[in-house]
Amino acid sequence: MYPTLFGFIDTYSVLMLLGVVACFGYLELFWRKKGIKKKQMYAIEINGCISIVAGLVTAILTQNLYDFIEKGSAYKWTWAMTFYGGIIGGVICFLLVYFLYQRKKDGPFLHTALKIAPACITIAHGFGRVGCFFAGCCYGAETDAWYGIVLDGVKVIPTNLFEAIFLILLSLVLLFLAMKWETDYSLAIYAIVYGIFRFLIEYLRGDHRGSFIPGITPSQFWSILAIIGGLAYLGYLLFKKVKFNQKQEKIAE
């Protein structure tokens, strides 16, 4: 049972809602600063709402898949969620809606959206991790260190708070990159940096992480793929930039 505010408001849900509000706040800042067409701004926000719902569904389904693989006949349905399952489902949904419907109706805007999307994802995720702290989930291993917190009578590492702080700071960096430089590298930076962080912090977690591949947690598996994907995308962007510069030099000659 999640803790409540005023005896009836679910704290975890409140933090998740605040994360969504912050996410769309980032979008508004970006669109207004860069003068994006309102038609495209509304299209991306509508798609974002649809993708958030899809992400929540796939986050729950993925966690249940992990539980089924691990427990077999002893498996029971749970409403627990896993971040990577949610982000993968949300991204797939966003791309499907964009390519099957919005690109033709509202014009191409995916390239622009990719500049700000990582910042939006990380700020929402950061608030969600604060919600995890209040809900008593995603906690760390037992510790005697000064930074430990007491959970159910046991002092543990507050990995949920550590990750929340990291994500909020990362979101600010990504927002700066999008607003100031309009860099194409934001998505690659996010995938690589968060993948590395998540892979390492899994070693500090004390809650049950699930069973997927022997020797690593499910989140570490997806983190490895995120890092590889981020490096591949970064390499693609750098190669594309080199080819463009070579083309410009030939034209100048």
Side-chain angles (χ1 to χ4, degrees), residues 5-63:
L5 295 173
F6 311 114
F8 63 92
I9 303 177
D10 179 356
T11 308
Y12 184 72
S13 297
V14 169
L15 267 301
M16 286 188 66
L17 180 60
L18 287 176
V20 172
V21 171
C23 169
F24 283 98
Y26 274 24
L27 274 177
E28 287 290 335
L29 282 174
F30 183 72
W31 298 142
R32 295 181 186 280
K33 177 72 173 178
K34 300 305 176 183
I36 309 300
K37 295 178 181 179
K38 285 188 177 181
K39 182 181 180 181
Q40 291 188 338
M41 179 182 75
Y42 295 147
I44 194 71
E45 290 178 340
I46 292 171
N47 194 340
C49 290
I50 296 171
S51 299
I52 287 171
V53 174
L56 289 173
V57 172
T58 55
I60 294 171
L61 291 177
T62 303
Q63 184 58 57

Side-chain angles (χ1 to χ4, degrees), residues 62-82:
T62 303
Q63 184 58 57
N64 277 276
L65 176 61
Y66 292 159
D67 292 344
F68 177 76
I69 292 173
E70 180 179 3
K71 299 177 182 178
S73 60
Y75 157 76
K76 290 184 179 180
W77 176 267
T78 175
W79 290 102
M81 295 181 285
T82 178

Side-chain angles (χ1 to χ4, degrees), residues 191-212:
I192 296 168
V193 173
Y194 180 70
I196 293 172
F197 176 87
R198 184 60 186 270
F199 184 90
L200 295 176
I201 203 170
E202 285 289 299
Y203 288 114
L204 301 180
R205 293 280 287 267
D207 56 333
H208 181 61
R209 308 301 303 121
S211 178
F212 190 54

Side-chain angles (χ1 to χ4, degrees), residues 234-251:
L234 180 61
Y236 164 76
L237 292 175
L238 292 173
F239 175 77
K240 186 178 177 181
K241 184 177 181 180
V242 169
K243 297 295 289 185
F244 176 79
N245 290 338
Q246 290 176 345
K247 185 177 181 180
Q248 292 299 107
E249 289 175 0
K250 288 182 178 180
I251 294 175

Side-chain angles (χ1 to χ4, degrees), residues 17-183:
L17 180 60
L18 287 176
V20 172
V21 171
C23 169
F24 283 98
Y26 274 24
L27 274 177
E28 287 290 335
L29 282 174
F30 183 72
W31 298 142
R32 295 181 186 280
K33 177 72 173 178
K34 300 305 176 183
I36 309 300
K37 295 178 181 179
K38 285 188 177 181
K39 182 181 180 181
Q40 291 188 338
M41 179 182 75
Y42 295 147
I44 194 71
E45 290 178 340
I46 292 171
N47 194 340
C49 290
I50 296 171
S51 299
I52 287 171
V53 174
L56 289 173
V57 172
T58 55
I60 294 171
L61 291 177
T62 303
Q63 184 58 57
N64 277 276
L65 176 61
Y66 292 159
D67 292 344
F68 177 76
I69 292 173
E70 180 179 3
K71 299 177 182 178
S73 60
Y75 157 76
K76 290 184 179 180
W77 176 267
T78 175
W79 290 102
M81 295 181 285
T82 178
F83 170 73
Y84 275 120
I87 192 65
I88 292 172
V91 168
I92 291 174
C93 176
F94 186 94
L95 293 176
L96 285 175
V97 173
Y98 172 76
F99 284 111
L100 296 179
Y101 178 72
Q102 289 184 318
R103 182 173 61 170
K104 183 177 180 180
K105 179 177 179 294
D106 303 305
F109 57 79
L110 182 61
H111 181 261
T112 302
L114 289 178
K115 297 178 187 292
I116 188 62
C120 295
I121 293 171
T122 47
I123 189 62
H125 192 188
F127 273 93
R129 278 295 184 239
V130 177
C132 291
F133 170 75
F134 285 108
C137 62
C138 306
Y139 52 86
E142 292 187 34
T143 183
D144 292 324
W146 61 270
Y147 51 78
I149 60 169
V150 178
L151 178 66
D152 295 331
V154 180
K155 195 174 184 181
V156 298
I157 301 171
T159 48
N160 33 36
L161 285 184
F162 291 167
E163 188 168 354
I165 294 170
F166 170 81
L167 286 166
I168 292 172
L169 291 176
L170 178 59
S171 77
L172 293 174
V173 172
L174 293 172
L175 179 64
F176 173 81
L177 292 176
M179 298 283 283
K180 190 72 174 178
W181 291 350
E182 292 191 68
T183 178

